[in-house]
Amino acid sequence: MLELLISGLVMGSIYALLALAINIIYSTTDIINFAHGELVMLGGMFGLVLVVNAGLPIAAGIIVAGVMVAVVAILLYFVTIKPFGDHLSESLGWLMATLGAGIIFRNIAMLIWGTHPRPFPPLGGSQLVNIFGVNIMPHEIWVLIITLLIAIFFTVVLDKTILGSAIKATASNRNTTRLMGISAEKMVLACFSMSGAVAAVAGFLISPITFAGPEMTAAIGLKGFGAAIIGGLGSSRGAFVGGLILGVLEAMSMSVVTPGFKDAIVFLIMILAITIKPEGIFNVAYEKKV
């Protein structure tokens, strides 16, 4: 049971990072980036090139890949979001644009790297560590540590810094933000770049588990979206809570059903959560309506 719990926390941490990447953008634009799964995939593929092919240390590879995916995320904004200006709520063109961009990213990745998943070196090596009688991969420990550090970082940034206050002001009312001398577009660009960087880190962390390939985030991307909804769209804290809950429930379900039904159970949980509490654990949707 303890092994299942740890496995659930590890996968839940990755879902939490995906949910955070979604929520960072949603908080300032009120839209869902449906290409976020492909940004995670690009983080893994860039990491493969940097670490495996170019021989960079993993820490340096994470930083460089984070910058690269952040640039891609900014380009994604200019191509799929900016053309709709301040009329995003009046058109669903951005939805089709981000979906299309995700498909393009995936197909380009297939052309460059092929369709077969490739092994990715785990953080901390492959030697198992025994903790409380349970054998754990060092990579799993690093996943938990890195996710916790990112959670603390974003909590501090949003609650304790001028940038965080500016992002909250932009999320609340763009017109008022402009009157205060804050560039709403710069805040949106900052959120897109941070979302891309978080997606790249998630790609690095998931690649040793699923192997790196263009299809590596086909189901995981949807689970990240589900985690964001469970926690509450737009809430950074909700992203982490929702991700961990989803990961633990997914792992525990494997004790009663075969692994082949795991995804079905997860999506059933997501549907029930949306039906019972559509505003999420942190009541974000309700607060926005008020």
Side-chain angles (χ1 to χ4, degrees), residues 35-97:
H36 77 282
E38 282 67 34
L39 293 181
V40 174
M41 176 271 294
L42 288 177
M45 301 313 294
F46 288 158
L48 186 72
V49 172
L50 293 167
V51 175
V52 177
N53 296 348
L56 280 181
I58 291 181
I62 291 177
I63 294 172
V64 176
V67 173
M68 293 171 70
V69 178
V71 171
V72 173
I74 291 173
L75 293 175
L76 183 70
Y77 164 76
F78 280 112
V79 173
T80 63
I81 307 300
K82 186 175 173 59
F84 297 97
D86 292 330
H87 306 289
L88 293 171
S89 60
E90 301 171 9
S91 170
L92 292 180
W94 57 266
L95 188 154
M96 296 305 299

Side-chain angles (χ1 to χ4, degrees), residues 97-117:
T98 54
L99 276 173
I103 294 172
I104 291 171
F105 288 153
R106 193 181 313 126
N107 281 272
I108 291 175
M110 288 180 180
L111 288 173
I112 296 174
W113 292 291
T115 58
H116 298 291

Side-chain angles (χ1 to χ4, degrees), residues 1 30 143 152 156 221 241 269:
M1 185 62 71
D30 282 339
V143 169
I152 294 172
V156 172
V241 173
I269 292 169

Side-chain angles (χ1 to χ4, degrees), residues 265-287:
I265 294 295
V266 171
F267 288 118
L268 177 61
I269 292 169
M270 288 163 47
I271 292 171
L272 291 174
I274 294 169
T275 303
I276 296 170
K277 198 171 178 59
E279 69 275 15
I281 295 172
F282 285 80
N283 297 316
V284 175
Y286 177 79
E287 291 173 1

Side-chain angles (χ1 to χ4, degrees), residues 234-258:
S235 169
S236 297
R237 293 181 180 88
F240 287 98
V241 173
L244 293 176
I245 290 175
L246 191 61
V248 170
L249 290 177
E250 177 185 46
M252 293 304 175
S253 70
M254 293 178 64
S255 64
V256 294
V257 299
T258 59

Side-chain angles (χ1 to χ4, degrees), residues 144-163:
L144 298 174
I145 292 174
I146 292 173
T147 301
L148 179 61
L149 291 176
I150 290 176
I152 294 172
F153 172 79
F154 274 96
T155 299
V156 172
V157 168
L158 292 175
D159 294 343
K160 305 294 184 181
T161 67
I162 296 175
L163 175 62

